[in-house]
Amino acid sequence: MAFSNEQLERYSRHIILKEIGVKGQQKLLNAKVLIIGAGGLGAPAALYLAAAGIGTIGIVDADKVDLSNLQRQIIHATNDIGKLKAESAKESMQNINPDVNVITYHEFVNSKNILQIIKDYDFILDGTDNFPAKFLINDACVISKKPFSHAGIIRFQGQLMTIIPGESPCYRCVFKEMPPKDAIPTCRQAGVIGAMAGVIGCLQALEAIKFITGTGKLLTGSLLTFDALEMNFHKINLPKRNHNCAVCGDNPAITELTDYEQPACDL
Amino acid sequence: MFITVKGERKEIADNITVSELLKLENIEMPEYVTVSVNEEFVQHENFDNVKINDGDVVEFLYFMGGGK
Ligand SMILES: [Zn+2]
């Protein structure tokens, strides 16, 4: 597929990069990336991935845009309040770049639908806001051997890691089991600085672009943490993939998905 | 002795355990914190008996559940 003059101009700052070039841009245009959650992390990731010319972007969210989202979910605007987030996100992405085919899923991921949803994608971004979803995405991606970016944010802190199933440690290698409900606060309970979602969501978008173009070193085998109050990035080298991991280990206990419920907190 | 905690070198008392280090570092809810020493995870049930040695590199990994 040859580039049109408009595409050559649109992607000129990518094409000039020796790490991307015409070939890399072609890979981006042929790639399929799924973003689970059109919220804080998903918003900046979706905008940059659309701008980058990812050919197909799936976006999964059953929520509607709420006024309290707009402090950080920059893909939605004030006049989007009440719209389905996936549709509002699609409009913003296609306004930036009509090259992009956006596929919307008006649902939340669960054990029944997730394998079917992730099946056709090359890379997946976890932009969800709860542990049952984060563990489900990890387990589904490991079982389906789908590379993905895990991330979490709270207050002035954020972290992310990239997982290549079967090669690098998975989320469950690091955090074996879900914490009890309400033991670890959510952004709703504890708050989050809006720009934190921007920082970490953009880092997830970068990982997707690096994976697709085969550029640089992925954040596999390490967890990158960011503390905005200290203005400190810290990369933690992780132990190798845990051969006893419940999902990515050599004899995994988890081979089928179930809907996880967070155990009630006894605190 | 000197150890590296969260990327920073610091001096601590000899002969302390992971549990004692968690206390010294004021780590809240250590039951939900993953600890690695020299790029090996320490199981929670061993926090009381695994000793920190001179030169060890210790990391604390926290749950972060937000994203939307
Ligand atoms: Zn694992």
Side-chain angles (χ1 to χ4, degrees), chain A residues 40-41 61 63 72-73 127-131 134 152-153 159 173-177 180 183 234 237 239, chain B residues 5-8 29 31-34 36 39-41 43 45 59-68:
Chain A
L41 294 167
D61 207 314
D63 267 341
R72 63 198 177 285
Q73 300 180 12
T128 63
D129 62 351
N130 64 85
F131 291 112
K134 290 186 188 302
I153 51 174
Q159 63 187 23
C173 287
V174 182
F175 300 103
K176 282 188 187 169
E177 275 175 49
H234 177 49
N237 291 325
Chain B
V5 184
K6 291 182 273 180
E8 281 176 30
M29 297 191 289
E31 62 272 37
Y32 305 126
V33 177
T34 298
S36 80
E39 294 182 29
E40 294 290 339
F41 291 132
Q43 303 304 315
E45 59 268 27
E59 299 284 2
F60 304 122
L61 298 93
Y62 301 93
F63 276 114
M64 269 183 220
K68 284 176 85 173

Side-chain angles (χ1 to χ4, degrees), chain A residues 20 28 123 162 203-220:
Chain A
I20 307 251
L28 295 173
F123 193 86
T162 298
L203 292 175
Q204 290 188 281
L206 275 171
E207 285 291 278
I209 289 168
K210 283 165 55 197
F211 174 81
I212 290 157
T213 57
T215 304
K217 218 174 118 196
L218 291 170
L219 192 57
T220 48

Side-chain angles (χ1 to χ4, degrees), chain A residues 35-47 59 75 125 127 201 204, chain B residues 67:
Chain A
I35 302 169
I36 305 180
L41 294 167
L47 291 174
I59 189 131
I75 204 164
L125 267 61
Q204 290 188 281

Side-chain angles (χ1 to χ4, degrees), chain A residues 138 142 168-174 241-242 245-249:
Chain A
N138 179 73
V142 168
S168 69
C170 81
Y171 182 56
R172 219 182 252 285
C173 287
V174 182
R241 189 169 66 85
N242 176 4
C245 174
V247 68
C248 84

Side-chain angles (χ1 to χ4, degrees), chain A:
Chain A
M1 189 177 85
F3 287 109
S4 67
N5 285 341
E6 197 207 310
Q7 284 178 317
L8 283 174
E9 192 171 340
R10 178 185 287 273
Y11 303 119
S12 58
R13 303 302 191 277
H14 272 172
I15 291 170
I16 207 168
L17 290 169
K18 71 172 180 358
E19 293 83 355
I20 307 251
V22 169
K23 270 195 184 148
Q25 188 60 49
Q26 197 61 259
K27 286 179 185 166
L28 295 173
L29 285 163
N30 292 333
K32 295 179 169 184
V33 175
L34 181 72
I35 302 169
I36 305 180
L41 294 167
L47 291 174
Y48 274 107
L49 291 175
I54 300 290
T56 303
I57 301 178
I59 189 131
V60 189
D61 207 314
D63 267 341
K64 290 181 176 157
V65 180
D66 180 90
L67 182 57
S68 69
N69 299 151
L70 302 182
Q71 163 259 15
R72 63 198 177 285
Q73 300 180 12
I74 55 166
I75 204 164
H76 313 298
T78 305
N79 60 12
D80 293 321
I81 291 171
K83 278 188 203 165
L84 281 161
K85 281 188 183 177
E87 293 305 318
S88 162
K90 178 178 180 172
E91 278 172 31
S92 302
M93 285 190 271
Q94 290 191 324
N95 278 335
I96 289 177
N97 190 351
D99 275 354
V100 179
N101 171 34
V102 179
I103 301 172
T104 56
Y105 302 84
H106 304 154
E107 51 198 326
F108 293 118
V109 287
N110 61 47
S111 65
K112 305 277 183 298
N113 66 12
I114 189 166
L115 295 174
Q116 187 62 29
I117 294 173
I118 66 178
K119 185 166 66 80
D120 293 328
Y121 292 91
D122 305 315
F123 193 86
I124 291 138
L125 267 61
D126 175 356
T128 63
D129 62 351
N130 64 85
F131 291 112
K134 290 186 188 302
F135 276 86
L136 180 73
I137 291 167
N138 179 73
D139 296 352
C141 287
V142 168
I143 288 170
S144 307
K145 300 202 163 26
K146 292 285 183 186
F148 74 105
S149 165
H150 161 88
I153 51 174
I154 190 87
R155 301 191 182 101
F156 288 85
Q157 304 203 312
Q159 63 187 23
L160 74 159
M161 67 187 282
T162 298
I163 290 123
I164 309 284
E167 292 179 26
S168 69
C170 81
Y171 182 56
R172 219 182 252 285
C173 287
V174 182
F175 300 103
K176 282 188 187 169
E177 275 175 49
M178 231 177 305
K181 201 171 162 54
D182 297 329
I184 310 293
T186 63
C187 292
R188 185 194 297 253
Q189 293 157 340
V192 63
I193 190 79
M196 179 56 69
V199 172
I200 303 296
C202 286
L203 292 175
Q204 290 188 281
L206 275 171
E207 285 291 278
I209 289 168
K210 283 165 55 197
F211 174 81
I212 290 157
T213 57
T215 304
K217 218 174 118 196
L218 291 170
L219 192 57
T220 48
S222 49
L223 179 82
L224 182 67
T225 67
F226 174 52
D227 181 330
L229 295 177
E230 299 287 332
M231 223 34 164
N232 188 33
F233 279 96
H234 177 49
K235 195 163 156 183
I236 300 173
N237 291 325
L238 300 173
K240 292 217 169 0
R241 189 169 66 85
N242 176 4
H243 290 273
N244 299 314
C245 174
V247 68
C248 84
D250 299 336
N251 291 297
I254 300 166
T255 54
E256 272 177 41
L257 300 174
T258 48
D259 286 314
Y260 302 123
E261 274 180 41
Q262 259 181 303
C265 184
D266 56 3
L267 288 177

